[in-house]
């Protein structure tokens, strides 16, 4: 088939490109879209994953000098040799303040990070179960395909996600060219059309057109967030070996910052004290009037120790807002990071549009809905490929090819199996023993094992209805499991109630899909072979 457009025309060539580019990595794109949609509620899902924190009262928003002094006191007891620490105060999405620190690196091992949460009643640190955190996992899986604990797979996973994202952008642009009646498609949906292909095509067009601007922005901005990995040649050509200068410019910093200190300086971090923290916060309020503080960090940078205050990301569209650097010894301002430079602002806005930390709850709910539409767009496109070719095979009275059966198996195992694997991850978070070694990795193994079993089951004839039904039951059981293994909804915060309500809504959606799915009538094949699994859902 020629795709130069000379014989078939540009639209026909784009239709061919749209079909095959969408199919090539469509299953991966579905997983990226669905996990990325879940990541819009990253902080809420992370809090749900730690039931030890649910019974604690909600803390007042913002950071105070007393709170920072209490964090220093706790750190002296928990990790006196810590080389850096960071306090993230409570806000509308974080019920509790979190204290994290970096332990000194031991022989042959990397530095270890620890985290505790501060009880608002007395400021005492509270330990929670070892978990990757559901929100953190879906966020990482969205662009790394596994976790941050596997450094080698990070690079490979990001390259694969980058390729899939690039193909997604190609599929979107070619789809725009292909559809001549793009605005008419916005109002056209015929779910009861006699021709099943027409119903699936309408569903694919409608889900694509409803949030097309969102898909274009989220795809392009996703590519830009990791542009330095995908396009390093331009950076090397402009900056040579001084690539750190490029990243400093993106962050709005005049010169690269030197993290860490020499071994001779690896003593305990200095204590600022309540009075000192009061001075730092007063200066910050004068320099950034009315601004919320996202985090306060203390870390070594070469020969000095620096206090860094970050402005809250929820106050602006641009990711990584203004930051203030103070000398920990004199408490004098060292530098106010300028994020208004063209490079820093352009990159920060694109990054901010992608992760949407500026969005409040209603807007994040809308973005989550758009993400589900993106998942539906990819899923209906994959199913449409099978439905169209099944109709052609039936018309010619031929047997289904191996490629057709393979695509159908991957469709069922990926589209219906991924929600089930997500539910299994939540169940593993609560049911795995809390003292299990490498517990976060065990949670991930459960996720991938269930997803793999779904693929095997679809290859053995397990259809859409069964996987959707099992996923519905699994999600419906999560609020019950939460009540049995945690303090219960009566003592849980509004965040926990909202997450459990989301689980129930997901169960209802999967149950509705299972109810609407029914096997497509099979005809006898002219050659002896195992009957193919159902191709799609008809309702």
């Amino acid at each position: 088939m020629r795709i130069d457009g000379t014989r078939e025309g540009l639209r026909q060539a784009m239709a061919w490109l749209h079909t095959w580019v969408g199919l090539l990595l469509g299953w991966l794109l579905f997983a990226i879209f669905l996990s990325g949609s879940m990541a819009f509620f990253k902080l809420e899902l992370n809090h749900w994953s730690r039931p030890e924190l649910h019974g604690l009262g909600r803390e007042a928003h913002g950071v105070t000098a007393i709170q920072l002094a209490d964090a220093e006191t706790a750190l002296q007891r928990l990790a006196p040799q810590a080389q850096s620490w960071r306090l993230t105060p409570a806000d509308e999405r974080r019920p509790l303040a979190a204290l994290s620190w970096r332990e000194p690196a031991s022989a042959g091992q990397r530095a270890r990070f620890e985290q505790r949460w501060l009880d608002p009643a007395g400021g005492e640190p509270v330990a929670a179960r070892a978990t990757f955190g559901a929100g953190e996992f879906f966020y990482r899986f969205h662009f790394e395909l596994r976790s941050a604990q596997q450094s080698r797979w990070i690079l490979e996973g990001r390259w694969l996600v980058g390729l899939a994202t690039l193909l997604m952008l190609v599929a979107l642009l070619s789809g725009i060219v292909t559809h001549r009646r793009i605005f008419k498609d916005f109002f056209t949906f015929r779910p009861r059309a006699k021709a099943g292909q027409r119903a699936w095509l309408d569903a694919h067009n409608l889900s694509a057109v409803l949030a097309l601007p969102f898909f274009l922005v989220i795809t392009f901005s996703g590519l830009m967030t990791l542009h330095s990995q995908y396009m390093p040649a331009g950076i090397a050509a402009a900056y040579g070996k001084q690539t750190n200068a490029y990243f400093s410019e993106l962050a709005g910093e005049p010169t690269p910052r030197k993290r860490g200190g020499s071994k001779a300086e690896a003593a305990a971090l200095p204590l600022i004290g309540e009075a000192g923290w009061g001075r730092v916060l007063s200066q910050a309020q004068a320099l950034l009037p009315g601004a919320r503080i996202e985090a306060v960090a203390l870390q070594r940078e070469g020969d000095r120790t620096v206090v860094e205050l970050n402005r809250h990301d929820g106050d602006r569209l641009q990711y990584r807002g203004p930051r203030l650097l103070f000398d920990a010894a004199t408490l004098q301002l060292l530098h106010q990071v300028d994020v208004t430079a063209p490079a820093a602002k352009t990159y920060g806005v694109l990054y901010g549009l992608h992760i949407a930390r500026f969005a409040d709850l209603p807007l994040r709910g809308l973005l989550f809905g758009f993400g589900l539409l993106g998942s539906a767009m990819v899923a209906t496109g994959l199913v449409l490929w099978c439905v169209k070719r099944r109709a052609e095979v039936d018309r010619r009275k031929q047997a289904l090819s191996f490629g057709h059966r393979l695509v159908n198996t991957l469709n069922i195992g990926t589209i219906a199996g991924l929600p089930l694997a997500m539910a299994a991850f939540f169940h593993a978070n609560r049911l795995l023993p809390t003292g299990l070694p490498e517990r976060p990795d065990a949670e991930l193994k459960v996720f991938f094992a269930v997803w793999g079993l779904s693929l095997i089951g679809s290859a053995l004839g397990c259809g859409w209805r069964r996987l959707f039904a099992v996923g519905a039951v699994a999600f419906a059981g999560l609020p019950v499991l939460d009540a049995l293994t945690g303090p219960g909804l009566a003592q849980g915060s509004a965040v926990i109630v909202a997450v459990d309500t989301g689980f129930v809504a997901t169960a209802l959606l999967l149950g509705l899909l299972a109810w609407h799915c029914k096997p497509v009538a099979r005809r006898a094949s002219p050659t002896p072979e195992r009957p193919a699994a159902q191709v799609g859902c008809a309702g």
Side-chain angles (χ1 to χ4, degrees), residues 4-5 52 135 179 200 225 227 295 328 381 399 419 431 446 473 481 489 505 510 532:
D4 57 4
E52 295 83 2
H179 293 99
W200 283 110
T225 57
H227 70 282
L431 297 178
V446 170
V473 173
L481 184 63
L489 293 179
L510 293 176

Side-chain angles (χ1 to χ4, degrees), residues 224 227 239 245-253 318-319 338-351:
M224 287 302 298
H227 70 282
Y239 290 83
Y246 172 76
F247 295 107
S248 297
E249 188 175 340
L250 279 187
E253 298 167 350
Q318 182 179 351
Y319 173 62
D338 179 20
V339 294
T340 60
K345 196 166 188 177
T346 301
Y347 181 69
V349 168
L350 284 173
Y351 209 131

Side-chain angles (χ1 to χ4, degrees), residues 120-136:
E124 289 298 315
V126 179
R129 64 187 57 198
T131 175
F132 203 78
E136 185 68 23

Side-chain angles (χ1 to χ4, degrees), residues 369-393:
F370 286 162
L372 292 185
L373 275 177
S375 304
M377 173 186 65
V378 176
T380 53
L382 291 169
V383 174
L384 180 61
W385 189 94
C386 283
V387 171
K388 289 174 65 175
R389 281 147 187 83
R390 176 63 181 257
E392 184 177 348
V393 166

Side-chain angles (χ1 to χ4, degrees), residues 188-271:
T188 304
F189 183 45
R190 292 158 284 188
R192 299 187 181 276
K194 292 184 179 180
Q197 177 180 334
R198 171 54 60 185
W200 283 110
L201 180 60
D202 285 348
H204 182 64
N205 291 339
L206 183 63
S207 58
V209 174
L210 274 173
L212 182 59
F214 170 81
F215 299 148
L216 291 171
V217 170
I218 207 73
T219 304
F220 179 73
S221 60
L223 278 173
M224 287 302 298
T225 57
L226 295 175
H227 70 282
S228 59
Q229 178 176 317
Y230 305 142
M231 299 180 293
I235 302 174
Y239 290 83
K241 295 183 178 180
Q242 304 299 321
T243 55
N244 287 339
Y246 172 76
F247 295 107
S248 297
E249 188 175 340
L250 279 187
E253 298 167 350
T255 57
R257 295 170 61 182
K258 181 181 179 182
R259 309 287 182 175
S262 64
K263 293 183 179 180
E265 300 163 349
L269 290 169
L271 293 176

Side-chain angles (χ1 to χ4, degrees), residues 326-358:
F326 295 89
D327 190 313
T330 64
L331 302 184
Q332 297 298 312
L333 179 69
L334 293 174
H335 181 65
Q336 181 172 352
V337 177
D338 179 20
V339 294
T340 60
K345 196 166 188 177
T346 301
Y347 181 69
V349 168
L350 284 173
Y351 209 131
L353 283 171
H354 191 80
I355 61 177
R357 292 189 181 176
F358 61 89

Side-chain angles (χ1 to χ4, degrees), residues 2 12 69 91 117 141 167 174 210 273 287 294 315 331-332 337 344 346 399 414 424 468 479 482 503:
R2 299 182 64 181
Q12 288 77 11
D91 59 17
W117 289 261
F141 178 82
L167 292 181
S174 59
L210 274 173
L287 294 169
E294 170 98 13
D315 294 340
L331 302 184
Q332 297 298 312
V337 177
T346 301
T414 301
F468 278 140
D482 187 19
F503 290 152

Side-chain angles (χ1 to χ4, degrees), residues 62-108:
V63 62
T64 64
I66 297 177
Q67 189 180 57
L68 289 166
D70 289 342
E72 282 186 323
T73 302
L75 199 66
Q76 289 297 306
R77 184 172 67 256
L78 294 172
Q81 297 300 317
Q83 294 303 291
S84 66
W85 61 267
R86 177 185 179 93
L87 179 73
T88 305
D91 59 17
E92 66 277 5
R93 298 184 62 189
R94 300 184 184 93
L96 301 173
L99 174 64
S100 57
W101 65 88
R102 181 173 62 88
E103 297 276 12
S106 58

